[in-house]
Amino acid sequence: MSMIIRPAVAEDLPAVGEVDSRACQRAYAGLWPAAELAGYTPDNQARGWADRRAREADSHHLLVAEDGGRVLGFTYVGPGLPGQDPDLGDLYSLFVDPDAQSAGIGRALLVAGQAVLTELGYARHLLWVAEANTGAVRFYERHGWRHDGVRHTAKGIEYLRYLYTP
């Protein structure tokens, strides 16, 4: 594998939408309502990423993992939400194509996303993960992220806040 991590370009968005759709279908089956998951199509997700990038281009970064021209995963990082501690940068998304998991792609994307947040001057990083997504919980804990006890519920799903200090 000759994978590289690089900033996404507009031509990557269909592939990002495909990875996002496939990864969400796998990760959230049984957690999210089926009707909601049905809306996570590659086209819908690609359009969503195009809209979000257009709105947040000045402050957020979409990185992709690519091998041989094929996007295998992505991460999206940027400043935290308004009203949040200004020292906290946010890792909003990290998804790897289900067929490419367990090959080090997630770790490479995590390291790259954390590096961007650190370069942007964020002293600490945060992310939210569904408590029932035990694979993701284990992944982040294995890489030094710690649940700080904060949780919130959205659409009936319990989410945990994880922090990382570089």
Side-chain angles (χ1 to χ4, degrees):
M1 181 182 292
S2 58
M3 180 189 61
I4 61 168
I5 307 290
R6 62 171 175 76
V9 295
E11 293 78 19
D12 294 322
L13 295 179
V16 168
E18 177 73 27
V19 169
D20 192 11
S21 173
R22 287 173 44 78
C24 283
Q25 295 291 335
R26 170 86 51 95
Y28 298 112
L31 299 179
W32 288 357
E36 184 171 342
L37 270 177
Y40 274 70
T41 66
D43 288 343
N44 286 345
Q45 295 311 102
R47 277 192 300 278
W49 281 109
D51 291 346
R52 188 165 188 183
R53 283 188 73 223
R55 285 190 322 272
E56 300 175 338
D58 294 338
S59 57
H60 292 68
H61 301 268
L62 179 63
L63 305 173
V64 295
E66 173 194 301
D67 185 20
R70 180 173 169 234
V71 172
L72 301 173
F74 68 93
T75 191
Y76 192 67
V77 300
L81 298 173
Q84 185 172 283
D85 181 340
D87 289 335
L88 282 172
D90 210 321
L91 191 144
Y92 288 97
S93 296
L94 191 158
F95 288 107
V96 175
D97 187 291
D99 292 340
Q101 290 181 354
S102 299
I105 297 163
R107 183 186 186 323
L109 284 165
L110 181 63
V111 168
Q114 290 174 199
V116 169
L117 289 172
T118 299
E119 288 169 16
L120 293 172
Y122 295 105
R124 295 178 304 143
H125 309 159
L126 80 94
L127 61 82
W128 290 93
V129 63
E131 183 174 25
N133 188 349
T134 56
V137 166
R138 282 191 308 272
F139 171 79
Y140 291 118
E141 289 178 350
R142 206 171 40 248
H143 292 96
W145 291 75
R146 296 292 170 246
H147 174 43
D148 68 349
V150 176
R151 14 175 99 240
H152 81 90
T153 303
K155 299 180 184 176
I157 298 170
E158 192 76 18
Y159 289 89
L160 308 174
R161 186 172 76 174
Y162 275 74
L163 299 176
Y164 178 84
T165 303

